[in-house]
């Protein structure tokens, strides 16, 4: 199927530079093919020209526009189904200067569709790839959330008992630039759907979508929520043990004081020495 942009589009423009076929245009902007200009297909939102869309077959194993769309409005057109072979031939026609092999990257191959050697597992329909060890997937072939969500080293408090450990302003989301493949981080408090971030190494863009932000939020807050609950339980247990110890110490001190008092009351000291007087003194 060709890809379309639904009316949910927020005109962020993140999808336009990602298209390898320049098939995406802003609303009211005429599109061009073979030197011929044609009227815009949509007036108010970005649109995709079906005759130029190859669903990224020949270039990526996912649809690049869907991978960066923050509101998931780049979806397959159910009224325009197309096979991998048709899309592959269109890619060759659009890019005669390139040699696009039969086994070129294709979402069909990745999704186990019409390709002769389907991938081992189907991919999510929005073009995201699940992270290996975390519930926060990132767009396949695009900036992706690292498997283990943790604050960057600079934001990690020195003491595990520090309150800042659970302060979202100290957390950061590690991502990998899809263009230069270099890692960088985004402050968690700024990680919101539709916000455009740029790689500090190559200025490549990254726009989180709603699903990615939701997964990142669940991963971070779930992880730190568990740690907070564990620490609170530990501190409550220690407080109870400390109170019990102090109560036992107070009881022991009271019992010891009573023991000393009992010893004082039960002791029988020797009588007072009396110096003999009179005749008795002559025989001592």
């Amino acid at each position: 199927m060709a890809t379309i942009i639904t009316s949910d589009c927020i005109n962020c423009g993140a999808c336009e530079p990602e298209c390898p076929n320049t098939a995406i245009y802003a609303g009211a902007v005429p599109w061009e093919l073979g030197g011929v200009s044609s009227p815009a297909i949509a007036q108010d939102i970005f649109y995709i020209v079906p005759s130029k869309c190859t669903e990224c077959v020949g270039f990526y194993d996912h649809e690049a526009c869907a991978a960066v769309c923050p509101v998931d409005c780049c979806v397959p057109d159910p009224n325009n189904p197309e096979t991998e072979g048709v899309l592959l031939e269109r890619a060759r026609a659009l890019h005669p200067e390139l040699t696009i092999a039969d086994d070129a990257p294709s979402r069909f191959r990745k999704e186990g569709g019409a390709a002769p050697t389907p991938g081992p597992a189907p991919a999510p329909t929005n073009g995201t790839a699940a992270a290996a060890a975390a519930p926060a997937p990132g767009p396949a072939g695009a900036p992706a959330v690292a498997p283990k969500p943790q604050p960057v080293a600079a934001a990690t408090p020195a003491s595990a008992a520090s309150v800042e450990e659970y302060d979202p302003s100290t957390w950061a989301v590690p991502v990998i630039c899809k263009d230069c493949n270099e890692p960088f981080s985004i402050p968690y408090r700024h990680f919101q759907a539709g916000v455009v971030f740029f790689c500090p190494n190559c200025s490549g863009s990254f726009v989180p979508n709603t699903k990615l932000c939701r997964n990142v939020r669940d991963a971070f807050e779930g992880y730190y929520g568990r740690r907070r609950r564990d620490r609170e339980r530990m501190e409550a247990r220690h407080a109870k043990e400390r109170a019990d110890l102090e109560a036992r110490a107070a009881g022991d001190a009271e019992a010891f004081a009573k023991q000393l008092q009992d010893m004082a009351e039960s002791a029988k000291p020797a009588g007072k020495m009396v110096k003999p007087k009179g005749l008795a003194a002559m025989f001592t």
Side-chain angles (χ1 to χ4, degrees):
M1 302 179 180
T3 304
I4 59 173
I5 297 177
T6 69
S7 59
D8 293 329
C9 176
I10 60 175
N11 286 313
C12 69
C15 58
E16 183 181 11
E18 305 299 327
C19 181
N21 305 309
T22 62
I24 302 177
Y25 295 82
V29 175
W31 61 276
E32 183 272 336
L33 177 61
V36 178
S37 180
S38 301
I41 297 175
Q43 299 299 315
D44 301 323
I45 59 174
F46 279 77
Y47 65 90
I48 300 176
V49 179
S51 58
K52 298 181 70 175
C53 177
T54 66
E55 300 181 43
C56 293
V57 170
F59 298 92
Y60 309 120
D61 61 359
H62 63 281
E63 292 178 274
C65 57
V68 300
C69 179
V71 292
D72 297 328
C73 68
C74 297
V75 298
D77 182 0
N79 299 319
N80 188 18
E82 294 180 303
T83 64
E84 182 190 33
V86 170
L87 297 172
L88 193 61
E89 288 304 317
R90 181 178 298 154
R92 290 167 176 159
L94 292 171
H95 302 275
E97 75 282 2
L98 301 178
T99 301
I100 301 178
D102 291 338
D103 59 350
S106 165
R107 74 171 182 83
F108 290 85
R109 204 176 316 281
K110 182 177 180 181
E111 294 177 355
T117 55
T125 55
N126 67 346
T128 59
V145 175
K148 295 182 68 177
Q150 292 181 348
V152 293
T156 302
S159 171
S162 173
V163 176
E164 283 136 2
E165 180 181 7
Y166 309 110
D167 182 5
S169 65
T170 67
W171 303 347
V173 182
V175 298
I176 300 175
C177 178
K178 69 182 187 307
D179 296 323
C180 65
N181 205 35
E182 290 295 328
F184 65 99
S185 62
I186 298 171
Y188 175 77
R189 64 185 182 275
H190 298 322
F191 198 84
Q192 300 178 16
V195 178
V196 182
F197 301 98
F198 296 95
C199 172
N201 303 297
C202 70
S203 298
S205 63
F206 170 43
V207 184
N209 57 30
T210 52
K211 181 178 181 180
L212 179 58
C213 289
R214 182 171 59 250
N215 288 335
V216 169
R217 183 184 66 248
D218 292 345
F220 268 85
E221 297 184 1
Y223 173 69
Y224 285 102
R226 290 192 301 272
R227 294 189 62 173
R228 182 188 298 109
R229 290 190 295 271
D230 290 344
R231 184 164 299 283
E232 289 174 350
R233 284 195 293 266
M234 181 188 68
E235 291 175 350
R237 185 172 64 252
H238 286 178
K240 183 178 184 303
E241 292 175 352
R242 184 165 51 252
D244 292 344
L245 177 62
E246 292 174 354
R248 287 196 303 271
D252 290 344
E254 184 179 352
F256 181 60
K258 186 176 184 303
Q259 180 184 7
L260 293 178
Q261 183 64 30
D262 292 343
M263 289 175 60
E265 293 177 355
S266 62
K268 295 181 179 180
K272 181 180 179 181
M273 294 293 295
V274 180
K275 187 176 180 179
K277 299 179 180 179
L279 293 175
M282 299 174 61
F283 301 99
T284 59

